[in-house]
Amino acid sequence: MEHITKLCADSLRAFCLNKFGIQLKSSHAHELVAAYFGYASRAALLADTKGSIGNLRDAEFIVLTPTAQIRERRSKLNGLPQDLPEDLAEGVYLTLYDEKLILHSVWPTLEELGKALADQYLKSKPACFNDQKIQRHGVKLEFENDELAIVVFREYVSSNLLLSFQQSKRGVVDVFNMKRVAGHIGYVKTNHHSAEAETLDAALVKMRDAYHQIISNAQPLNDVQPIEERETNFTEWLAKQKNRDSPLGDLARDMMDDKTWPNHSTLDDYRDYLYSRRASWMAIETLERAWKTYKAFIKRKSVIISKEQTAKRSSPNKPATRAIVSVKKAIPLHFNKRTIEKFNRGDPAWISWDGKNAIPVNVVGVDERHYTVQIESPRKKAGNEHSLFLDEVRSSPELACANLVTL
C-alpha cells in the first residue's frame, strides 16, 4: 500500500514541477493523494485494513472521489502553493494506468455507474414495450459500513400504447449491491436485485417488501425527477458533438479520448485544465466558443421546461383512466395452484370475468377472505363494486386472466 501511495505522490510532484513549475512538498503530495483516494488524511489511508488501496487490481469499478471532498481537504492543508491548480487528477492517477494497477474504466460518480449498470441489465432482457422510452428516473445511494447499494428508479413509457389508452407505463427498480475493496474508489458488485410493476410506486413497494434491508423507505414518487428536468452538463453536451466535422467535433473527440477529462461547472476551470495539458490557443478558443453555445442551449431548454411546468400548474393532471386489456391465450390456473397477492385500500388492481379481458379496478375494502373492488372501466360500469375472493384480484392483466373470477 505504501508503495502505491509513494508512487502516486512522486508522480504528483513531478507532474506539478513539469507542468506548472511548482515544487510540491512531499508531505502535501501524500495528503493530496490520500484525498484523491477518498480519505480525510494520509493517516486514515494507512490505517484502513478492510479496503486497502493495495487491492486496486481486485476492483471491478473505479469511481472518482467527488471534487468537493478534495477541495475541502485542500482547504485544511497549510502552506500549499497558492498557484497550485485545482485539478491534479492526472498527476495522481496516470501512473496507476502505467503500472497496470487500474484495469477497468473509471467512472466520474457512483450515480453514473448505477445508470450504466441499469442500462446494461436492460439490454440483457426483453423490452417492456417496443417503443419504450425512459420518462422519469432517479438514483439513490445507501451506505452501510463498507457496503453500498446503488438504487436506480426508472419509469418506462410507450407512446403508442398511451395513444390507444392501454397500459403504457412500467416501473422498474434496480438495486446494485457493491462492496468497497480498494480505498474509497475501488468497488466490486456483490449482488443485483430488480423489481417491476405497472407503476413506479408499486415497483418501489415491491422491492422494499422483498429486500427491506436494501431500501429502508420507498422513495417518494416526487423525488424521482422527470428525465427532461435534469440539466445536461458540459461534458455530456460536448460528447454529443463528436460527429461534427468542425473544430467543435475535434474538441469533442479529444475529450472522449482523454481519460482524465474533468467534470467542472465553470469555463475558467475547463480553461485552466486545457492550459495544464499545454493545449494550443486554437483549442482554447474552440473551448470558449463551445461553452458559449452550451450555455445558450441550456438557456433555451430552461425556457421550454419553465413553460411546460407553468402549463402543468394551470391545468392539473387528472388520474388517467385505465382501459380494458385483452389477453391472448391466457391459461386459467386450477384453484389449488393459485396464490394471493397483497393489496391495500386504494391500490390499483385487475380482475377478469372471462379469462380473456382484464378489467381495471381499485381496491376499496379488505377482509380475511375478500377484496372489495370498484370498477374503473368500462365507463358505463365505472363505480360498481364487487366482493371477490382474495386470489381473484391481481396486479397485472395477465395474472387476472389466469386467475379469473369464479361465479
Side-chain angles (χ1 to χ4, degrees), residues 338-401:
R338 293 189 178 189
T339 59
I340 294 172
E341 291 187 85
K342 183 180 178 181
F343 293 96
N344 297 315
R345 292 186 63 179
D347 287 346
W350 297 86
I351 64 170
S352 177
W353 303 115
D354 58 6
K356 298 178 181 179
N357 298 293
I359 311 297
V361 298
N362 290 289
V363 177
V364 296
V366 182
D367 62 34
E368 293 181 356
R369 297 187 60 194
H370 302 89
Y371 285 123
T372 302
V373 298
Q374 189 176 75
I375 300 294
E376 190 174 323
S377 65
R379 185 177 300 176
K380 62 182 180 180
K381 294 185 179 180
N384 291 356
E385 293 188 2
H386 301 272
S387 181
L388 305 176
F389 289 115
L390 297 177
D391 61 6
E392 296 173 340
V393 180
R394 314 306 295 194
S395 60
S396 71
E398 294 78 12
L399 288 174
C401 290

Side-chain angles (χ1 to χ4, degrees), residues 224-256:
V224 182
Q225 298 295 327
I227 192 167
E228 293 80 9
E229 292 183 9
R230 177 181 172 272
E231 184 174 293
T232 303
N233 65 40
F234 179 68
T235 298
E236 293 168 334
W237 176 85
L238 185 57
K240 294 178 181 178
Q241 319 307 317
K242 64 182 180 180
N243 294 324
R244 288 177 176 268
D245 185 15
S246 66
L248 178 59
D250 293 338
L251 179 64
R253 289 185 287 275
D254 288 344
M255 178 271 292
M256 296 183 74

Side-chain angles (χ1 to χ4, degrees), residues 17 40 51 69 80 126 148 177-178 182 220 256 323 328 338 359 379:
L17 184 61
Q69 190 174 325
L80 272 182
L148 159 72
N177 295 97
M178 317 289 286
M256 296 183 74
K328 295 180 179 179
R338 293 189 178 189
I359 311 297
R379 185 177 300 176

Side-chain angles (χ1 to χ4, degrees), residues 20 85-87 234 238 251 258 261-292 295:
F20 314 111
E86 183 173 294
D87 191 352
F234 179 68
L238 185 57
L251 179 64
D258 186 350
W261 180 269
N263 274 319
H264 289 316
S265 57
T266 68
L267 173 59
D268 286 342
D269 286 338
Y270 279 113
R271 192 187 288 117
D272 288 344
Y273 176 74
L274 288 191
Y275 281 137
S276 74
R277 300 302 300 271
R278 302 290 176 90
S280 68
W281 66 268
M282 292 182 63
I284 302 294
E285 196 174 76
T286 301
L287 169 72
E288 291 170 346
R289 288 199 301 267
W291 183 264
K292 187 176 181 180
K295 296 303 285 186

Side-chain angles (χ1 to χ4, degrees), residues 77-236:
L77 292 177
N78 296 323
L80 272 182
Q82 292 185 352
D83 54 350
L84 186 67
E86 183 173 294
D87 191 352
L88 302 172
E90 181 182 355
V92 175
Y93 293 124
L94 209 54
T95 186
L96 298 176
Y97 281 101
D98 294 340
E99 296 293 323
K100 302 285 191 291
L101 290 168
I102 292 181
L103 303 176
H104 302 285
S105 298
V106 175
W107 297 92
T109 65
L110 287 165
E111 288 85 354
E112 290 299 318
L113 171 59
K115 286 187 279 187
L117 290 173
D119 287 341
Q120 183 180 348
Y121 175 65
L122 176 66
K123 293 176 182 178
S124 71
K125 66 188 190 70
C128 301
F129 309 108
N130 291 330
D131 61 335
Q132 71 179 25
K133 293 182 179 179
I134 300 176
Q135 178 171 265
R136 291 183 295 175
H137 72 170
V139 182
K140 180 181 178 184
L141 305 177
E142 296 194 358
F143 297 88
E144 185 174 352
N145 298 323
D146 295 317
E147 296 187 352
L148 159 72
I150 307 177
V151 189
V152 183
F153 312 86
R154 286 181 171 176
E155 183 178 76
Y156 296 95
V157 64
S158 164
S159 301
N160 291 335
L161 292 179
L162 182 64
L163 292 173
S164 60
F165 300 100
Q166 298 184 52
Q167 180 61 34
S168 59
K169 295 181 181 179
R170 192 72 178 167
V172 181
V173 180
D174 286 298
V175 177
F176 301 96
N177 295 97
M178 317 289 286
K179 184 177 180 181
R180 182 179 73 88
V181 295
H184 291 276
I185 65 169
Y187 296 86
V188 293
K189 186 175 72 174
T190 58
N191 216 333
H192 170 222
H193 307 286
S194 187
E196 295 186 23
E198 284 182 14
T199 66
L200 194 51
D201 267 338
L204 286 163
V205 172
K206 190 174 180 181
M207 177 63 80
R208 183 195 62 195
D209 290 344
Y211 306 105
H212 58 86
Q213 74 276 18
I214 299 171
I215 303 180
S216 53
N217 293 295
Q219 182 171 346
L221 193 60
N222 56 11
D223 284 352
V224 182
Q225 298 295 327
I227 192 167
E228 293 80 9
E229 292 183 9
R230 177 181 172 272
E231 184 174 293
T232 303
N233 65 40
F234 179 68
T235 298
E236 293 168 334

Side-chain angles (χ1 to χ4, degrees), residues 62-81:
I62 302 294
V63 183
L64 298 181
T65 301
T67 304
Q69 190 174 325
I70 297 171
R71 280 178 182 161
E72 182 181 359
R73 181 57 185 145
R74 282 181 59 144
S75 68
K76 296 177 181 178
L77 292 177
N78 296 323
L80 272 182

